[in-house]
Amino acid sequence: MGKIVTLNAKFDHSCAVLRQCLALCCVALVMLSACSPAPEGLSHLHDYQQRVANTLNQPAVNYQPVPRIQPPSARDLRLLIERIEISLLDAMRLDACAAGPLIAERNSSLGRLQQGVLRYFYDRQLTEALQLCAKQLHNENPELAKRVQQQAEAKRKLMPQLRTQAITQDYAIRNIISMADRPLAKPDSSTLAPLFSAMNTLLQVLDDQAPLPTEPELIAALERLDKDAYIAQLWRALHDNHAYIQQLEPLVSNLSHNAGCLSAGVPKRAQVLRQVFIARFSGPVQRHLNALTHQAAQLEPYIQALDTPLPAWQTHLRHIVALDDQVKAITRNHVQYWQQFFRDCEFTPGA
């Protein structure tokens, strides 16, 4: 005869099972809530720090974004530059030489809207054309040739100011020295390569000793640099990674004590921490940081070539080109805590 189970016993058993299920659900919810989503572009660092925090049984670091630094406004950097005027009669007399069409184009409705590097492109063309016209007119019309030569000299003296204005007002340049609204998630050399080519074209125009590219080449380069967010996202990634590592200092500043390595023996927790550092920080985190700083170093000479005499502009460029060194320095400081941990726990390097 089988064992008789009362209704009350069945009910008690069902309640016990239900309580166990509810308890498991609560534990699962707590575990899920502890795994906060990674901030955009910081997934490697976020995964690493959460594993360290979990192993130490400490709360994970709640990353606080640091406000990004942007270049000074174009309005604050605008210069008052003397205009070189050529009389209408002289302009008409120049129609037969190279300066005539350029003057007409500059005075057109579209020409008046030109700014930035494209405007400087025409300034260089016009300066060279005026000098050439003065030579061509030397025998035919000496008086006109003299006036044109004076205009060419006056224009040439203004070129340093015009260059400064071109750099600080150009949309494409301002884009590549700004920080984007989000960091670069994954560095990609194939995406960066055409931007180097575009910057070379831009710098040809700004270098008075270099031959000018064609107008279509310049326009294509400016459009690419103006619309592509890759470089701006790279600066933002360096900025955010530096801030994140800096905020991790309280988590790793006392690793040896928190892992239990200051007493006899090496606890299991220390063994796990060692694996986390090797597998996560020495792996994905450092590969990502190395790729970011490597690309920033490649861009540094291009950014330095955009320098001007304006102090506010200089200050911003110095901040941009220092980002990779700042990330390297904060990374070295972070690794020093782990080196102390390895010594205290008597772990053999590379073992």
Side-chain angles (χ1 to χ4, degrees):
M1 182 177 181
K3 182 178 178 180
I4 298 176
V5 180
T6 64
L7 183 61
N8 285 341
K10 288 185 178 181
F11 181 76
D12 290 342
H13 176 71
S14 299
C15 287
V17 172
L18 181 59
R19 283 194 296 271
Q20 289 178 350
C21 290
L22 288 173
L24 289 172
C25 289
C26 289
V27 170
L29 287 173
V30 170
M31 292 177 66
L32 287 173
S33 63
C35 299
S36 58
E40 189 169 11
L42 297 168
S43 58
H44 296 307
L45 266 176
H46 189 72
D47 173 67
Y48 152 75
Q49 76 98 354
Q50 286 205 321
R51 290 173 185 271
V52 173
N54 290 340
T55 305
L56 293 173
N57 197 27
Q58 293 185 6
V61 173
N62 183 21
Y63 170 64
Q64 299 299 318
V66 176
R68 51 187 168 144
I69 296 177
Q70 297 291 55
S73 70
R75 178 181 298 178
D76 291 341
L77 299 175
R78 196 174 298 278
L79 301 176
L80 293 176
I81 301 177
E82 178 187 356
R83 288 179 58 86
I84 302 299
E85 301 288 348
I86 298 179
S87 70
L88 179 60
L89 182 58
D90 282 352
M92 292 175 62
R93 290 170 176 171
L94 293 177
D95 281 347
C97 68
L102 290 172
I103 293 172
E105 186 171 354
R106 171 58 60 84
N107 291 329
S108 68
S109 56
L110 289 178
R112 294 178 185 276
L113 295 175
Q114 287 173 355
Q115 62 178 355
V117 176
L118 184 59
R119 186 178 183 89
Y120 189 72
F121 173 84
Y122 282 104
D123 284 330
R124 278 191 61 184
Q125 282 190 320
L126 181 57
T127 303
E128 295 172 4
L130 287 172
Q131 292 174 331
L132 181 60
C133 286
K135 292 180 180 179
Q136 292 174 345
L137 294 168
H138 180 69
N139 295 326
E140 178 185 339
N141 192 336
E143 291 185 5
L144 177 59
K146 183 179 180 180
R147 290 197 298 273
V148 172
Q149 184 61 41
Q150 290 173 341
Q151 299 285 359
E153 286 299 315
K155 186 76 173 176
R156 184 183 60 79
K157 290 179 180 178
L158 291 177
M159 291 302 283
Q161 287 180 280
L162 293 170
R163 181 182 184 277
T164 294
Q165 180 170 266
I167 291 173
T168 58
Q169 305 296 313
D170 193 274
Y171 292 121
I173 291 178
R174 296 185 69 84
N175 183 44
I176 62 175
I177 64 163
S178 298
M179 289 187 185
D181 58 353
R182 66 194 66 183
L184 185 66
K186 184 179 180 181
D188 180 12
S189 58
S190 64
T191 302
L192 186 58
L195 298 177
F196 281 126
S197 177
M199 286 188 291
N200 281 325
T201 301
L202 182 151
L203 293 182
Q204 273 185 263
V205 179
L206 296 175
D207 181 0
D208 290 342
Q209 304 304 313
L212 286 170
T214 66
E215 182 179 347
E217 287 173 339
L218 176 59
I219 291 175
L222 291 173
E223 287 181 349
R224 178 181 288 276
L225 293 173
D226 182 33
K227 295 177 181 178
D228 199 302
Y230 187 93
I231 296 177
Q233 289 178 355
L234 174 64
W235 305 136
R236 180 61 184 271
L238 290 166
H239 173 80
D240 286 4
N241 276 275
H242 178 272
Y244 201 118
I245 297 173
Q246 195 169 44
Q247 292 175 31
L248 292 182
E249 184 172 2
L251 181 64
V252 298
S253 60
N254 206 11
L255 281 170
S256 301
H257 176 269
N258 294 334
C261 284
L262 300 183
S263 56
V266 179
K268 181 65 176 177
R269 176 175 292 177
Q271 298 282 358
V272 175
L273 280 175
R274 172 182 171 276
Q275 287 304 117
V276 169
F277 177 79
I278 294 173
R280 298 295 166 178
F281 193 87
S282 294
V285 170
Q286 288 201 312
R287 282 197 298 269
H288 182 69
L289 296 179
N290 288 342
L292 292 176
T293 56
H294 174 68
Q295 291 193 352
Q298 289 180 298
L299 287 167
E300 184 172 335
Y302 292 91
I303 302 303
Q304 290 176 333
L306 300 174
D307 198 8
T308 75
L310 302 179
W313 186 263
Q314 291 176 341
T315 298
H316 180 73
L317 292 194
R318 283 196 295 269
H319 176 83
I320 289 294
V321 299
L323 286 170
D324 59 333
D325 286 337
Q326 290 173 356
V327 170
K328 291 176 184 177
I330 198 71
T331 303
R332 285 194 297 269
N333 184 68
H334 186 85
V335 170
Q336 285 175 358
Y337 290 116
W338 283 99
Q339 290 173 338
Q340 184 62 50
F341 164 78
F342 272 60
R343 287 192 293 269
D344 292 339
C345 296
E346 298 182 351
F347 288 130
T348 302

